[in-house]
Amino acid sequence: MHAVSLRSSVAALGLVALAAIPIEQAAARDYPVCYKTKEYEPTRLVLNVSYHSKLPTTRYTGKQEVWDADGKHAYVENYKNVMAVFDGSVVTSAGGKYGYGQPKGAHLGGTSYFVRGGTGIGPSNGQQNPMFWECTSAEASPTPNTWSCTLKADNFKAGIPVTLIRLKYADKDCDVFQDTLDYGPPKPPRPPKPPQPPKY
C-alpha cells in the first residue's frame, strides 16, 4: 500500500513539474538557417536559432521574445576557407494589438570570433579581429528573409553595411569549414586522354 502511494506521489510531482514549464519552452524548436551576403559573396552566416524565453512586457505594448543564435561566419578568400564561430541573440517583437504599443520586427546582435591561426588572434589569411554584427528586420521572425546589418571591428570602427538574405536551401558555401592544414589552391583537372585508334 505504501509503495503504491509513493509511486502516485512521484507521478503527481512529475505532472506538476511538467505543468510548470511554459508552453513556449516545452514546444521550443531549433531553426537551422544559412544567410548569404548581398555585397560580399561568397560570405555565409550559418546559424542555429533556438527559442530562449519571453521577455517581460506590459500587457498592452506587445509580445517580445529572445532567441539564441549560434553558428559560424564563413567565406573563401584566395582559395582558402576562413571561418569564425558566431555567438549572438535575436529579440523579436510581435507588436501591440490594434496598432498600439511597440512596433513589430526583429533585432540580431552577434560577434564573429576568428579562432584559427598560429598567432592566437585570428587566421593569417583572414580577419584578425572579432567582428560585431548589428542587424534589424521589419519581419517579426527570429529567422527573417532579410537582415539589414552594420558590421564593425577594431580595424573598421565606422562600420560597413551588409545585407543578409536567407537561402531556401543550403549551398556549398554554407559548408565552408576552416581546417588546420593548408591545402593551397585547387589542383587543375587532368586533361582527358586522347582518343585511341581503333584496333583491327
Side-chain angles (χ1 to χ4, degrees), residues 66-70 86-91 107-111 147:
V66 63
W67 304 72
D68 292 321
D70 298 302
F86 182 90
D87 180 35
S89 296
V90 177
V91 174
H107 297 306
L108 165 68
T111 307
W147 287 107

Side-chain angles (χ1 to χ4, degrees), residues 20-191:
I21 299 174
I23 292 173
E24 294 87 357
Q25 186 176 345
R29 290 188 56 195
D30 291 352
Y31 297 94
V33 62
C34 183
Y35 286 96
K36 73 173 188 175
T37 58
K38 181 180 177 182
E39 301 85 356
Y40 300 100
E41 281 298 279
T43 298
R44 297 290 182 269
L45 199 62
V46 188
L47 303 175
N48 186 61
V49 180
S50 58
Y51 179 78
H52 184 274
S53 59
K54 279 185 175 182
L55 291 177
T57 58
T58 60
R59 183 176 177 185
Y60 300 104
T61 55
K63 178 182 176 184
Q64 296 177 18
E65 298 173 332
V66 63
W67 304 72
D68 292 321
D70 298 302
K72 66 180 181 179
H73 167 193
Y75 56 94
V76 178
E77 188 173 57
N78 298 325
Y79 303 105
K80 293 183 180 180
N81 290 346
V82 179
M83 192 191 84
V85 294
F86 182 90
D87 180 35
S89 296
V90 177
V91 174
T92 58
S93 172
K97 291 183 179 178
Y98 314 111
Y100 175 77
Q102 299 300 316
K104 71 175 185 176
H107 297 306
L108 165 68
T111 307
S112 296
Y113 297 98
F114 293 85
V115 296
R116 305 300 313 159
T119 62
I121 60 170
S124 58
N125 62 318
Q127 170 68 17
Q128 297 291 310
N129 306 104
M131 301 173 88
F132 306 102
W133 296 77
E134 302 167 359
C135 305
T136 187
S137 176
E139 301 171 59
S141 167
T143 57
N145 290 311
T146 59
W147 287 107
S148 298
C149 304
T150 301
L151 194 54
K152 298 180 180 178
D154 285 348
N155 51 329
F156 46 97
K157 294 182 179 179
I160 56 173
V162 177
T163 306
L164 294 174
I165 302 168
R166 189 179 73 190
L167 297 175
K168 188 171 183 180
Y169 301 105
D171 62 11
K172 65 180 179 60
D173 293 312
C174 301
D175 296 342
V176 165
F177 186 86
Q178 188 167 349
D179 201 351
T180 53
L181 302 176
D182 182 4
Y183 294 105
K187 295 178 181 178
R190 290 181 179 178

Side-chain angles (χ1 to χ4, degrees), residues 6-31:
L6 183 60
R7 281 197 296 267
S8 300
S9 299
V10 170
L13 285 173
L15 291 173
V16 169
L18 284 173
I21 299 174
I23 292 173
E24 294 87 357
Q25 186 176 345
R29 290 188 56 195
D30 291 352
Y31 297 94

